[in-house]
Amino acid sequence: MPNRLDLPAGFRWGAATAAYQIEGAVEEDGRGPSVWDVFTTRSGAVRDGHTGAVACDHYHRYAEDIALMKGLGLDGYRFSIAWSRILPTGTGPVNPAGLAFYDRLVDSLLEAGITPLPTLFHWDLPQALEEAGGWLNRETAYRFAEYATLVADRLGDRIPTWITLNEPFVHTVFGYALGTHAPGRTLMFEALPAAHHQLLAHGLAASPLHERGLEVMLSNNLTPVWPASSSPEDAAAAEAYDALHNRLFTDPVLLGRYPDLSALGVPDDIYGAVRDGDLDLIHTPRLDGLGLNYYNPTRVAAPTSPGLPFDLVDITEAPHTAFGWPVVPDGLRQLLAGLRKTYGEALPPITITENGCSVDESTTPDHPRIDFLATHLDALAQAIAEGADVRGYYTWSLLDNFEWAEGYHQRFGLVHVDFATQRRTPRASYAWYRDLIAAHRARGER
Ligand code: FCB
């Protein structure tokens, strides 16, 4: 069985973060409010009323954080750009101080020998755009393309590859369908126009990025879907869930069409959101790489009550992370095999843009994280041996950070952060990852 040291030579090692989860400094240098600044003030929205107002104070401590990345020997760093730092109201005049922060960040990364991999949208929509309808408003897609273009004009000379969106599935479902994330809407399936408009935003931004000679990726949260039994009812429920979680966000981009959403009761034109020509706009700009965020598989059964066309069932036989997510490394291999089967020649090279786990703070050393990373990287090596084209791996996350509705309770970092003092302390998993990267590189050089 191949293992992680057998990952191909030139395989890129990275770590990932996102702006609202680490930056803090939410009112500094002209940054405008985002939906998360507003959502976190809602009573009961986030555990213990935590907010990202300070987070890891990365806005001021980025140099220290880059030194930590350099200590790991990373090839690449995935971060996100806060739209409302660049355009405080989402559109209109540029805030030069906001752009200057990312300019400094990018230059410092390059000086450390680390390739920046920015994500243009990781859920922190400028609040002013939310007030105009957010992602339910088609216009937001056009504002995104303008924002992407101007950021690329400023930073594209130093950054070869760009991720447009992070996990439109999670943003749509948690933010617009269930209301557990910002902007906190509870529209159930009527949230899906927000998905279409995000995909349209991706397509509209991809062309100007390509014209500037840049590569474009999209990071999707994908999950292998396991029917709870071999019954046709469970198989149908699993298919409906797969359409919603996976295919809705990947088929339009790679195949130029939506999957059949009839089992979900969703009309083909997604409640009138899909207009003539939209699928071309989404599909025609080539996707240079698919970003894959993998955390766990999903077991699905036929519904036991009216409402949703599926039930989600826990994977009880697997160990669970501190967050309660099942740990199934082979799910990553299954997912990669499934993507090859579904998309064939249409599937671009893949980069794992997130994978990792939260571990209880009191668990030191953080051996469960080391086991998680080691077993997932072994599964990845196996997938590549079976034919998957995977170019790199960005673990979530470099630092403990603001984990959305869970506040600071879920700790995903290779580096522990004491949020009272901002002191960073590398964990055992940090040393382990550093040593793995060095050993893998040494093998390639032999
Ligand atoms: C992903 C998000 C990321 C982080 C991890 C744990 O869904 O993209 O920001 O919260 O989960």
Side-chain angles (χ1 to χ4, degrees):
M1 284 273 276
N3 69 36
R4 51 199 178 269
L5 286 174
D6 300 315
L7 287 163
F11 186 80
R12 299 187 63 77
W13 297 99
T17 64
Y20 190 73
Q21 296 182 273
I22 65 164
E23 286 180 1
V26 292
E27 288 181 351
E28 220 156 305
D29 292 339
R31 177 186 178 278
S34 79
V35 291
W36 273 95
D37 296 291
V38 174
F39 183 72
T40 50
T41 62
R42 255 199 215 178
S43 157
V46 176
R47 223 171 130 188
D48 290 336
H50 291 169
T51 80
V54 179
C56 306
D57 194 31
H58 172 79
Y59 191 78
H60 301 113
R61 294 169 196 264
Y62 69 92
E64 183 183 350
D65 294 338
I66 292 173
L68 287 163
M69 297 174 209
K70 195 173 176 188
L72 282 168
L74 297 187
D75 294 299
Y77 170 53
R78 175 177 180 234
F79 60 99
S80 81
I81 295 177
W83 186 341
S84 69
R85 279 198 198 283
I86 314 288
L87 298 166
T89 60
T91 179
V94 176
N95 171 33
L99 259 175
F101 168 67
Y102 296 105
D103 223 14
R104 292 195 294 278
L105 178 71
V106 165
D107 284 343
S108 309
L109 285 165
L110 292 171
E111 246 165 65
I114 299 166
T115 305
L117 178 60
T119 304
L120 286 158
F121 178 70
H122 199 125
W123 305 351
D124 46 357
L125 192 74
Q127 177 64 18
L129 293 184
E130 166 61 16
E131 281 158 22
W135 286 111
L136 295 167
N137 180 353
R138 182 179 173 91
E139 284 301 307
T140 300
Y142 292 88
R143 299 296 83 76
F144 176 79
E146 291 159 10
Y147 149 68
T149 306
L150 81 88
V151 177
D153 277 338
R154 177 64 179 263
L155 303 175
D157 56 335
R158 285 156 287 161
I159 304 179
T161 305
W162 294 69
I163 298 170
T164 52
L165 311 174
N166 179 67
E167 297 188 353
F169 167 76
V170 176
H171 189 53
T172 303
V173 169
F174 288 7
Y176 287 82
L178 303 174
T180 51
H181 280 186
R185 305 216 200 181
T186 50
L187 297 167
M188 299 310 287
F189 286 120
E190 285 174 34
L192 293 187
H196 177 65
H197 296 145
Q198 286 175 80
L199 291 165
L200 184 63
H202 160 82
L204 291 170
S207 299
L209 294 173
H210 280 157
E211 282 158 22
R212 285 159 179 75
L214 307 172
E215 293 204 325
V216 179
M217 306 207 324
L218 167 69
S219 281
N220 275 342
N221 177 300
L222 299 178
T223 183
V225 179
W226 295 354
S229 77
S230 55
S231 76
E233 292 79 14
D234 286 348
E239 206 176 306
Y241 189 79
D242 185 44
L244 176 66
H245 191 134
N246 297 318
R247 300 197 66 149
L248 177 58
F249 298 90
T250 314
D251 285 15
V253 180
L254 297 183
L255 304 176
R257 57 171 185 260
Y258 276 110
D260 179 4
L261 300 172
S262 57
L264 307 169
V266 175
D268 285 349
D269 66 353
I270 314 196
Y271 307 102
V274 185
R275 298 197 188 158
D276 280 353
D278 281 4
L279 282 156
D280 283 341
L281 289 171
I282 294 169
H283 169 61
T284 304
R286 152 191 103 250
L287 194 67
D288 300 294
L290 178 65
L292 197 164
N293 295 358
Y294 171 71
Y295 289 95
N296 52 257
T298 307
R299 179 171 284 155
V300 178
T304 46
S305 55
L308 294 175
F310 48 76
D311 277 357
L312 303 184
V313 189
D314 191 20
I315 298 176
T316 43
E317 68 276 23
H320 285 61
T321 71
F323 213 145
W325 297 352
V327 179
V328 185
D330 192 59
L332 179 55
R333 190 196 58 76
Q334 293 167 22
L335 192 57
L336 289 162
L339 286 169
R340 287 173 60 220
K341 198 164 153 223
T342 306
Y343 298 107
E345 290 293 302
L347 186 67
I350 289 172
T351 295
I352 308 300
T353 44
E354 288 182 28
N355 176 243
C357 67
S358 71
V359 175
D360 198 279
E361 193 179 10
S362 61
T363 310
T364 52
D366 61 338
H367 288 145
R369 179 173 290 107
I370 297 176
D371 287 348
F372 186 99
L373 298 178
T375 51
H376 283 76
L377 285 161
D378 286 349
L380 187 57
Q382 176 70 30
I384 292 174
E386 290 170 11
D389 181 2
V390 182
R391 306 285 173 91
Y393 177 91
Y394 290 70
T395 191
W396 186 272
S397 179
L398 177 71
L399 303 167
D400 289 343
N401 59 47
F402 175 78
E403 177 46 41
W404 310 115
E406 287 286 307
Y408 295 98
H409 291 288
Q410 303 299 338
R411 291 178 174 267
F412 278 88
L414 299 177
V415 176
H416 174 271
V417 177
D418 177 337
F419 291 103
T421 62
Q422 291 298 340
R423 197 188 141 130
R424 276 90 162 124
T425 310
R427 292 192 164 101
S429 55
Y430 176 98
W432 178 87
Y433 197 48
R434 174 196 66 206
D435 293 349
L436 170 64
I437 293 170
H440 176 260
R441 221 170 256 150
R443 243 201 193 198
E445 279 156 14
R446 251 187 281 136

